[in-house]
Amino acid sequence: MAHLELATDHGQPLPDDSVSESPLAIRGLTVSYGEKPAVFSVDATFRDGSMTAIIGPNGAGKSTLLKAALGVIRPLSGAITVYGKPLRNQRHRIAYVPQRASVDWDFPTRVLDVVLMGLYRQLGLLGRLNAQHRARALDCLDRVGMADFAERQIGQLSGGQQQRVFLARALAQDAELYLLDEPFAGVDAATEKAIIDVLKTLNRQGRTVVAVHHDLATVTDYFDRVFLINVRKVAEGAVADAFTAANLQAAYGGRLATAQIDDLELAAH
Ligand code: ADP
Ligand code: MG
């Protein structure tokens, strides 16, 4: 989706109408697990049809931001709107792939059943799974190159294979907004390629993709926008404007060596 780049990426607040069109708009979000906030007073406006990387050091509040956006953790304060409406009735429009499962899969669960979980919300409480649903789940597995593993146990797969299955589950939801938490962390190169291809295809179809991303070297290839955070928002904007050495220094502080920054393909500011 082509959008005019509004001249609002340099600190001025976005006009309200862009918030109402945004797949995800966050205002004044503060989240705290203890005394110190994990996310403090953050505003973010993710653009319809964009592909945005959320970037920041470990413990910067990236996962917390996504979880709050999904309503799975309760913020101290803040407002979240999804396509201009309160999150409450909009969750079905969001698919989420959590940071790679610390989930223990000792309980035997078939790969196909993991993907079918993506359909439960559409089915409702009384819905019954039928052959069409299974075909749809298989098709989603096929899109991530995992159709041959449908009958396997999820716990027996490699980390990369599990990650593909979780992406297939998100695909089964057929959402408009995809939120992913470090989808490429700890996966093999073939899986990374498979996942980015799927995400780019979704994006070409007009879906909005927001992913926590830790590999600064691939930001420019994979994403068109960035959101930099270190508890507070550092910057948000087009990669060409906001993915700068200064913003990276501001987000990472001393944790990023100058040599690392020198190797990156950065916006020229
Ligand atoms: P990131 O994803 O950027 O690495 P997180 O959002 O996971 O950061 O965490 C932000 C901060 O909140 C960290 O200091 C982390 O230790 C803390 N934190 C995250 N989850 C919890 C939790 N469930 N209970 C207490 N502290 C937490
Ligand atoms: Mg995280």
Side-chain angles (χ1 to χ4, degrees):
M1 271 177 227
H3 280 276
L4 285 177
E5 200 55 29
L6 302 170
T8 46
D9 274 323
H10 305 283
Q12 301 95 318
L14 286 155
D16 276 349
D17 62 353
S18 69
V19 170
S20 66
E21 288 167 12
S22 170
L24 176 60
I26 293 168
R27 289 292 169 271
L29 182 73
T30 296
V31 182
S32 188
Y33 299 102
E35 274 175 29
K36 223 174 75 187
V39 167
F40 185 74
S41 193
V42 164
D43 292 339
T45 307
F46 297 97
R47 296 220 180 149
D48 195 14
S50 68
M51 194 134 156
T52 304
I54 298 180
I55 296 169
N58 281 336
K62 305 180 297 295
S63 296
T64 300
L65 183 76
L66 284 196
K67 287 179 197 161
L70 287 156
V72 300
I73 49 179
R74 209 186 158 83
L76 273 183
S77 63
I80 289 152
T81 56
V82 173
Y83 295 97
K85 302 196 183 97
L87 175 65
R88 215 172 323 114
N89 302 317
Q90 299 285 91
R91 291 212 181 96
H92 62 283
R93 301 173 79 169
I94 309 176
Y96 171 54
V97 180
Q99 194 155 4
R100 189 145 64 77
S102 46
V103 180
D104 212 347
W105 291 102
D106 285 345
F107 189 77
T109 310
R110 245 190 350 165
V111 164
L112 188 66
D113 292 324
V114 173
V115 180
L116 285 167
M117 287 171 200
L119 295 170
Y120 287 169
R121 191 146 34 187
Q122 294 157 45
L123 280 170
L125 277 176
L126 301 173
R128 290 276 157 88
L129 287 170
N130 59 30
Q132 234 181 331
H133 296 121
R134 288 189 184 86
R136 169 116 155 259
L138 270 175
D139 177 58
C140 293
L141 278 172
D142 193 42
R143 285 159 69 188
V144 300
M146 289 295 289
D148 292 344
F149 294 80
E151 300 297 326
R152 295 273 285 271
Q153 301 298 320
I154 183 88
Q156 296 170 347
L157 303 185
S158 74
Q161 290 169 332
Q162 287 183 353
Q163 187 72 328
R164 292 188 197 210
V165 173
F166 296 129
L167 180 58
R169 179 176 64 182
L171 291 174
Q173 273 181 258
D174 197 24
E176 293 158 85
L177 169 62
Y178 283 79
L179 303 182
L180 304 98
D181 200 343
E182 304 215 17
F184 308 113
V187 305
D188 54 285
T191 295
E192 174 150 347
K193 171 88 171 59
I195 292 175
I196 191 63
D197 286 351
V198 167
L199 296 181
K200 285 194 168 179
T201 301
L202 285 172
N203 188 238
R204 270 196 300 276
Q205 296 167 344
R207 320 292 171 99
T208 303
V209 176
V210 175
V212 175
H213 189 61
H214 72 289
D215 180 10
L216 298 176
T218 50
V219 168
T220 308
D221 273 354
Y222 291 180
F223 297 94
D224 53 33
R225 293 179 66 81
V226 286
F227 182 90
L228 288 99
I229 181 171
N230 190 351
V231 184
R232 296 163 188 265
K233 172 166 104 180
V234 172
E236 86 183 298
V239 169
D241 295 323
F243 191 53
T244 63
N247 284 339
L248 285 170
Q249 292 286 15
Y252 285 81
R255 278 179 277 187
L256 203 62
T258 312
Q260 271 174 286
I261 292 184
D262 285 347
D263 284 344
L264 298 170
E265 192 186 323
L266 291 168
H269 284 266

